[in-house]
Structures are given as C-alpha cells and as structure tokens.
Amino acid sequence: MPELPEVEVTRRGVENRFLGCTLLQCTVRQPRLRWPVPEQIALMSGPLLATHRRSKYLFLTFEGGHVVVHLGMSGSLQIVANDAPWRTHEHVEWRFANGSLRLYDPRRFGSVEFIPPDQPWTAYARLSHLGPEPLTDAFDGDVLFKATRGRKLAIKLFLLSGVPVVGVGNIYASESLFRAGIRPGKASARLTRKQCHDLAASIIGVLTESIARGGSTLKDFAGVDGTLGHFQLHTDVYDREGLRCKRCESGVIKRVVQGQRSTFYCPACQY
DNA sequence: CCATATACCTGGCAGC
DNA sequence: TGCTGCCAGGTATATG
C-alpha cells in the first residue's frame, strides 16, 4: 500500500511514539522477506536516536547501526501492546517499554536491512541511483523538464522509474497526471516546459495533501488501535474506470495497461 | 545506455 | 461451496 505519503506518515508515527525510547528487544520471526533479514537486526538495542525517510525507505538509527525498512507492496508498521499475541504475517518486532512496533507484510515484498554505525544512513546502497525527493528544493518543473529531454518512455512509466523524482507510485502517478491534464502514454520528451511545471506542481500537491490526510487519519487511528500508515484512500482518477470524470464531467475514466500495471486517465481532458 | 519483461509472495474477489 | 483466473499501492534483475 505504501507510496511516499504512507511511508512518511509511518515515519512520523514511529518518531512520535518511540524517538528517544530504549529498544528492549528485537525479534525476527520470519527472516525470509524480499531479502534475508541480516543477523545484526536482532542484536540492536538502546535508544532510538533518529528516524529518516528517503524515497520509500525508512531509516531507524540506533547506536549499533541503522535499520532500513521498506514496506514493499503490502507492508505496514503497527504499534501493538507488549505481549500482544502474534498475528500471521507479522515478521519483525521492536519492543520498547511503551509498546511494540511490528512489521506486518502478507506478500513479503518488504525488507529489513542493516547499515553499520560507522556509516551514515545516506550511504545505503539502494539509494545510489534514485532521483530527487519531490518535497525538497531538489525537485521542480525545471528539473523535471531537463530530466525528460531525450526520453521516449511514456511519462507515466518514467515517473514510476524513480529517475526524474522518487516516491511516486502507481496510484499517485495516475493522480498527478490527471491533475496536470497530461496523458499517461505521452512520450516524456514531448512534454512542454509548461507541462513539466504543471506536472511537478501536481506531484508536489498530491503527495503533500496525501500526507496531510494520512496524518489526520493517523491521529484518529493511533488512539484506537495504534495502527500506523492507514489511509482512507481518496482518488480523483485511480480505480475509477467507467466513472464520470470529476473535473470535466463529460469524459469517462479509462483503464489501460502500461508496463503490466494499471493506469487510469480521462480521455476527454488529458492531452 | 535504453526499453521491456519477469520474478518474488499471499490474499481477495468475480465468475462459473 | 469450491474452484480458477485475475488483480493488488514495489523494485531488482535479466533480456533484447
């Protein structure tokens, strides 16, 4: 479920609850995730010193090193009472005095990896070829315009590649292109400078609003069952095949397949 | 280098 | 009810 907003909301939830708290024990129940969970993960202890996010990767820093969590397609981090019974698909637990954080991931496309304490979290190898963060100065319409020059790949697929910008997954790619009025199948290099500015603004807007909604949702949820990263998904175009376009009200939303994945758009108001 | 296909894994759902 | 096939919010890797 996780695109950038879900991961960011999860990070904030973890930080609010556990920053500065002492990790009492880490239990790895199922080490076979996307990659094998390294032995060092279970040896971690001491206070949670910091949390970070880059793209869809979440970093938890302890004295003994950094824990890198990726939620894959179906992962989430949830806060449960200490000694709560294990549910199926709960693979890793970090136990603190004030509650336990658990990685729940039915499909096991998620991962938990380790970075030694003498390295900065930014040295994580999987970050090396990623594009700019969308919610920083490193990304804007000019950056997107330059990145798209010479690229024949459909803009929707290019966004998903993580090259022009990171954190835009399958849902928000459709949502951003809808908001910017751009066809998902359009060759990247054929976007005008203005379209790149519109698209960059749309990406930033869509992600920012989703974080805000998730943050408010999180507040409600956290008091009830402690669940992190739950969203009431709100979309203008994603998963609305056959429904009337919310913007032009004349088009009917189409679903097409690009790169073996679903894309949604309005044929009447996206060009 | 670029573009495309495939693999990993489990569960929910529509249709028969 | 139970089966089958399709779909699911990610990304590393292999192949043209």
Side-chain angles (χ1 to χ4, degrees):
Chain A
M1 316 175 155
E3 296 189 29
L4 184 148
E6 289 84 344
V7 178
E8 177 58 23
V9 168
T10 297
R11 186 195 67 76
R12 292 177 187 184
V14 170
E15 182 162 299
N16 285 340
R17 180 67 171 250
F18 295 119
L19 185 66
C21 297
T22 297
L23 175 63
L24 303 174
Q25 187 172 35
C26 175
T27 306
V28 179
R29 270 182 121 197
Q30 169 57 277
R32 308 192 61 192
L33 304 182
R34 179 74 162 84
W35 295 287
V37 178
E39 304 277 338
Q40 294 100 316
I41 291 297
L43 304 177
M44 218 56 73
S45 66
L48 176 63
L49 300 173
T51 71
H52 300 278
R53 179 195 55 75
R54 168 86 168 99
S55 187
K56 299 165 190 168
Y57 295 93
L58 181 62
F59 297 83
L60 308 179
T61 300
F62 298 91
E63 268 183 23
H66 313 271
V67 176
V68 189
V69 178
H70 195 290
L71 300 176
M73 290 279 267
S74 58
S76 61
L77 286 173
Q78 311 190 332
I79 297 172
V80 302
N82 288 339
D83 299 322
W86 287 96
R87 290 188 298 151
T88 51
H89 308 308
E90 285 180 341
H91 306 309
V92 181
E93 177 187 83
W94 293 268
R95 181 192 179 105
F96 299 85
N98 60 338
S100 294
L101 185 67
R102 287 186 185 169
L103 173 64
Y104 171 86
D105 185 7
R107 292 179 74 180
R108 286 193 276 133
F109 289 172
S111 59
V112 179
E113 296 194 288
F114 174 79
I115 305 172
D118 58 325
Q119 293 179 32
W121 65 270
T122 49
Y124 184 53
R126 300 190 198 286
L127 302 182
S128 62
H129 53 82
L130 294 181
E133 279 292 316
L135 305 182
T136 68
D137 291 348
F139 179 68
D140 62 21
D142 286 330
V143 169
L144 182 58
F145 182 74
K146 289 190 182 102
T148 51
R149 294 312 90 183
R151 291 294 197 134
K152 291 179 182 169
L153 191 62
I155 184 62
K156 195 262 192 169
L157 291 173
F158 193 40
L159 290 179
L160 284 183
S161 74
V163 170
V165 64
V166 299
V168 180
N170 203 41
I171 292 177
Y172 297 125
S174 283
E175 292 294 314
S176 302
L177 288 163
F178 174 80
R179 187 176 290 201
I182 297 167
R183 291 253 175 161
K186 193 178 181 80
S188 302
R190 301 196 57 191
L191 268 68
T192 63
R193 186 179 284 276
K194 174 171 189 318
Q195 284 181 312
C196 289
H197 279 263
D198 289 347
L199 181 53
S202 298
I203 289 167
I204 291 165
V206 163
L207 296 179
T208 302
E209 289 162 27
S210 296
I211 291 171
R213 268 201 303 277
S216 54
T217 303
L218 176 64
K219 256 187 181 172
D220 302 337
F221 266 82
V224 181
D225 63 6
T227 300
L228 286 177
H230 260 65
F231 271 68
Q232 187 181 351
L233 191 60
H234 163 272
T235 62
D236 286 334
V237 70
Y238 181 84
D239 203 21
R240 289 180 50 80
E241 182 183 18
L243 299 179
R244 190 155 300 280
C245 174
K246 287 188 180 182
R247 175 174 45 208
C248 72
E249 299 188 349
S250 65
V252 174
I253 303 304
K254 283 190 73 167
R255 171 186 179 270
V256 296
V257 173
Q258 292 179 283
Q260 297 83 236
R261 311 191 68 190
S262 295
T263 301
F264 300 85
Y265 73 99
C266 173
C269 64
Q270 287 177 257
Y271 302 98

